[in-house]
Amino acid sequence: MLANTTIIPNKKQSVSISDVAKTLQAQSKAKFSLLCPDGIKIPLPEPLTRLLLIAAEALTSKNAVTVLVRNSWLTTQEAANIMGYSRQVVVDLIKKSRLKASQLGSHRRIRFTDLLKFIETEGKEGSEAMAKIVNHTKEVVGYDEAHRRRKRKKYMERAY
């Protein structure tokens, strides 16, 4: 299956890919069609247009692109691999009802869209928690920009 093939364009291809990316960006709300060699026009659904834009932007930036086909339902291990957690952490999140899952016999399955929602929510909560910690530290310790400059100056004096 070609879905796990990595694409790395050469210089000549990069120029035409850049043109495609610019056109897609400039007309992001437009409806695009695929023009087949026999002259038939096939309307491109929005998800395919978005995928094409993402790939074109990445290739234009000299990045390789690999399309990874995922099942819409994941095992706990697959979810753990995506999140960078252990499988047991994923199971615990499911038990605590923080991550939606379905039980199929003795196996748990997580809908990929639910996993993405969880990751997005966790990211926001993590950022908010970090901001609270930073603010609390500033209040308690009085850590501010002037304090940081003094510490940096002391370090530089010792380093040289």
Side-chain angles (χ1 to χ4, degrees), residues 63-78:
N63 292 310
V65 172
T66 302
V67 175
L68 178 63
V69 177
R70 292 238 180 245
N71 193 327
S72 59
W73 288 91
L74 304 169
T75 65
T76 52
Q77 186 60 60
E78 289 169 329

Side-chain angles (χ1 to χ4, degrees), residues 7-23 55-65:
I7 312 277
I8 304 171
N10 61 36
K11 285 185 180 185
K12 185 178 177 184
Q13 293 167 331
S14 292
V15 173
S16 60
I17 291 171
S18 176
D19 293 340
V20 170
K22 288 175 188 172
T23 302
E57 288 175 341
L59 293 169
T60 298
S61 300
K62 296 184 172 84
N63 292 310
V65 172

Side-chain angles (χ1 to χ4, degrees), residues 85-118:
Y85 295 165
S86 70
R87 191 189 68 76
Q88 188 57 50
V89 168
V90 172
V91 170
D92 292 344
L93 290 169
I94 293 167
K95 286 180 180 177
K96 293 175 185 174
S97 299
R98 293 186 58 205
L99 177 60
K100 285 185 190 178
S102 295
Q103 190 86 22
L104 303 170
S106 63
H107 301 284
R108 294 179 183 90
R109 295 290 182 264
I110 301 146
R111 192 182 302 268
F112 191 63
T113 53
D114 290 335
L115 180 66
L116 294 176
K117 285 178 192 172
F118 173 81

Side-chain angles (χ1 to χ4, degrees), residues 123-141:
K124 287 178 185 173
E125 289 175 7
S127 296
E128 290 168 5
M130 185 56 75
K132 287 178 184 176
I133 290 168
V134 169
N135 288 334
H136 178 73
T137 303
K138 285 180 180 178
E139 290 170 10
V140 173
V141 180

Side-chain angles (χ1 to χ4, degrees), residues 137-149:
T137 303
K138 285 180 180 178
E139 290 170 10
V140 173
V141 180
Y143 190 84
D144 58 5
E145 187 60 36
H147 176 76
R148 203 162 81 196
R149 274 188 299 242

